[in-house]
Amino acid sequence: DAKTTQPNSMESNEEEPVHLPCNHSTISGTDYIHWYRQLPSQGPEYVIHGLTSNVNNRMASLAIAEDRKSSTLILHRATLRDAAVYYCSGRYSSASKIIFGSGTRLSIRP
Amino acid sequence: KAGVTQTPRYLIKTRGQQVTLSCSPISGHRSVSWYQQTPGQGLQFLFEYFSETQRNKGNFPGRFSGRQFSNSRSEMNVSTLELGDSALYLCASSQRDATNEKLFFGSGTQLSVL
C-alpha cells in the first residue's frame, strides 16, 4: 500500500540549517513530491515541490534522492517563524490519491 | 486575490445527523480536493474534483460524498454522522491538476459530533 513516512518531531536552533526527511518508498516515476507546513488553527501552506532534480525557492530547498524513494526539505537558516508541522505528500498513481505523511513537528530554540 | 474560503468555520452536530460543508476555491482554479484531519490519522484524502467531475476518491465510506458546481465551488456531505467523524475538514484548490501543482488550502471546518 502507498505510504509516506516522516519523523514525529525535530528540534533545531535558530539560524541553523534544518533537514527534514521523508520516505516515500512506493512513489512512481511520474509522481511529484510536495511539502507543506501547517501552523496552529490554519490550513497547510505550500512550501515546495519537485519531481526528480533538486529544487530551490525563497522558502526552502528540496533534495530528492536519485531513486526518488526519499526526499529532504532543507530550511537553510531556521527562524522562530518556521516552527510548524511539516508534511510531505505525493500522488501515488497506483493508488490514484494524494497521500500525506504523518507530519514532523519542528521546534526552533531561540 | 481572495484565498480558499470554507464555511462554516465551526460546526456542532449530533450522531445520526447529516452535514454539508462548503468550499469556494481561488478564482480561476478548477480543481478542488478535500481532506480530513484528525490527531490520530493525520491528513487523509477524501476526494478530488475537476470541472465538476470526481477524479479520485479516498478510502472513506459511502456516507462521505461531494460535488463540484460549474463555478468550481464544491460541497461535501456526510450523512448519518458518527462520533469518529469529528475532525477538521480541509479543502484545497489548484488551477488544473493537483498532481503537479501546489495546493492552496482553506482554514478548514472544525466539525464536532456529539
Side-chain angles (χ1 to χ4, degrees):
Chain A
D1 198 18
K3 200 169 182 181
T4 302
T5 57
Q6 303 177 252
N8 287 336
S9 62
M10 290 185 66
E11 214 171 341
S12 181
N13 295 319
E14 198 175 10
E15 298 191 2
E16 289 187 356
V18 180
H19 291 235
L20 298 165
C22 176
N23 288 319
H24 25 77
S25 56
T26 57
I27 203 165
S28 73
T30 57
D31 295 330
Y32 275 74
I33 299 152
H34 295 237
W35 282 81
Y36 294 84
R37 69 182 185 183
Q38 187 174 25
L39 297 171
S41 302
Q42 294 184 24
E45 171 193 33
Y46 168 83
V47 177
I48 200 166
H49 76 292
L51 184 60
T52 54
S53 56
N54 296 343
V55 183
N56 300 291
N57 66 20
R58 65 175 180 81
M59 290 181 71
S61 295
L62 177 60
I64 301 171
E66 197 169 333
D67 63 5
R68 295 190 9 96
K69 301 303 183 187
S70 65
S71 63
T72 301
L73 177 69
I74 303 166
L75 306 178
H76 295 286
R77 287 187 67 193
T79 69
L80 296 177
R81 292 172 58 185
D82 291 323
V85 179
Y86 287 78
Y87 295 95
C88 62
S89 74
R91 181 190 292 272
Y92 293 81
S93 55
S94 61
S96 297
K97 58 184 179 181
I98 299 167
I99 295 178
F100 281 81
S102 54
T104 297
R105 183 174 298 279
L106 176 64
S107 303
I108 305 296
R109 290 185 291 257
Chain B
K1 211 177 202 182
V4 177
T5 303
Q6 290 189 247
T7 56
R9 186 73 178 88
Y10 301 95
L11 206 50
I12 300 174
K13 292 286 188 179
T14 56
R15 278 181 300 173
Q17 287 187 309
Q18 76 163 17
V19 67
T20 299
L21 311 181
S22 179
C23 173
S24 293
I26 290 173
S27 177
H29 285 193
R30 296 168 64 188
S31 174
V32 172
S33 50
W34 287 88
Y35 305 84
Q36 181 194 66
Q37 186 174 34
T38 59
Q41 297 296 318
L43 273 162
Q44 300 286 316
F45 171 76
L46 279 158
F47 21 67
E48 178 192 0
Y49 289 88
F50 179 75
S51 293
E52 301 179 68
T53 301
Q54 186 180 90
R55 295 184 60 179
N56 292 299
K57 191 175 192 302
N59 297 331
F60 280 84
R63 301 186 295 107
F64 291 80
S65 63
R67 59 178 175 169
Q68 186 180 32
F69 302 97
S70 58
N71 62 359
S72 293
R73 191 178 69 84
S74 178
E75 289 181 347
M76 68 163 281
N77 183 277
V78 187
S79 62
T80 320
L81 283 166
E82 301 177 0
L83 295 179
D85 297 333
S86 295
L88 179 66
Y89 290 87
L90 292 157
C91 88
S93 75
S94 61
Q95 285 188 316
R96 294 184 303 276
D97 181 354
T99 304
N100 300 334
E101 300 177 5
K102 58 185 178 182
L103 300 176
F104 293 83
F105 282 86
S107 296
T109 294
Q110 183 68 54
L111 172 65
S112 298
V113 182
L114 306 178

